[in-house]
Amino acid sequence: MRRLLLIFLTILILPVLLYSQKKVSYDGYFEIGGKAEYNGIYIESYYKAKMEFEYKINKYTEVEIDIRGNSEDREIILYEASAEFELSDNLELEVGDLKKRFGYEEWTSREKLPTIRRSIVNRYLEPLGYVNREPGIQIEWEGDDFLLLGGMHYNESHTASYVIKAVKKSISSLDGVFANLQIIRTRDTEIPNATAVNAGIFDTISGIASVLEFYYGLDPVESHYSALEGGDNDVYLGAVRFITSKIFLFENKIIRGFEPVLSGAVLVNNMDYTDVNKLQLMLGFNFYFNDNARLMINGDLAASNRPFSKSKRSLTDSSVIIQLQVRW
């Protein structure tokens, strides 16, 4: 009860305090929608909200706090807290609960992606520790056409991660190329280290924005199970993903823009058995009422097979999702 009261008082008082500070900026979103899963009987409704505050302490220091809630958990959580220090015009240091930014999707906040959910590749890598948030420190150097990021993270399960990202912008006829390297160190005596790499290209041609990227790395969970069963300790995963979209603008009072989205991915859990995999094909449509409000529709087809039944694919993870999103 005391915890709920504290949360309630925080919600009431915090906006007042922040409003009185001229150096505070904020953004967030509200989403409401429904999800119909393959072979599901009911449509699952949901709503989510985010409130993010950025407080500029001085010219060189900024603090960011991200608070979120959803209808599934029915509680407010502190999703992110971090501090950013501007060391020079090109060099920044960030400390807090940070994204590892492994993969192109991790560069952008989820609510600003053209799809409602992240790809099957991103969702598979998250529990493995490659794309989740963890307390850490990152330093980023950004030039006119080049970005270099390095970081170290450590969590309560005594797992340390080292991240390196490099981005080259405006290379040849492409908008850019990127590469990521991540090393995870654990106390697991069987699988003490896990390394993964990610690389890809991004480009915009005639307003069509496209990304193609590849993943390859050790799966620490499957490797651990393999070691327990007396098999080969090293189980490597591989994946390829693409997404393409284009926004068409209209001179209409209601619908100001229309964005078709096509995304696909192939995920192989064990590269020794490439014929056992998971395929994803997602078709989406976004209808923009203004820059910050859109109706999103995603038809997500996911087909996977098993080692004992390679010719038969399950559509269990397939779904259709529709939601209204309002950002500020």
Side-chain angles (χ1 to χ4, degrees), residues 90 121 131 143 186:
N90 303 100
V121 181
V131 299
T186 73

Side-chain angles (χ1 to χ4, degrees), residues 198-210:
N198 160 252
I201 59 176
F202 56 97
D203 197 18
T204 302
I205 302 175
S206 300
I208 302 176
S210 302

Side-chain angles (χ1 to χ4, degrees), residues 295-311:
L295 178 68
M296 309 176 70
I297 304 173
N298 283 182
D300 195 349
L301 177 66
S304 58
N305 59 1
R306 298 290 185 267
F308 52 83
S309 181
K310 298 179 182 179
S311 60

Side-chain angles (χ1 to χ4, degrees), residues 47 127 150 186 192 236 281 314 318:
Y47 56 87
T186 73
Y236 289 90
L281 185 64
S314 170
S318 300

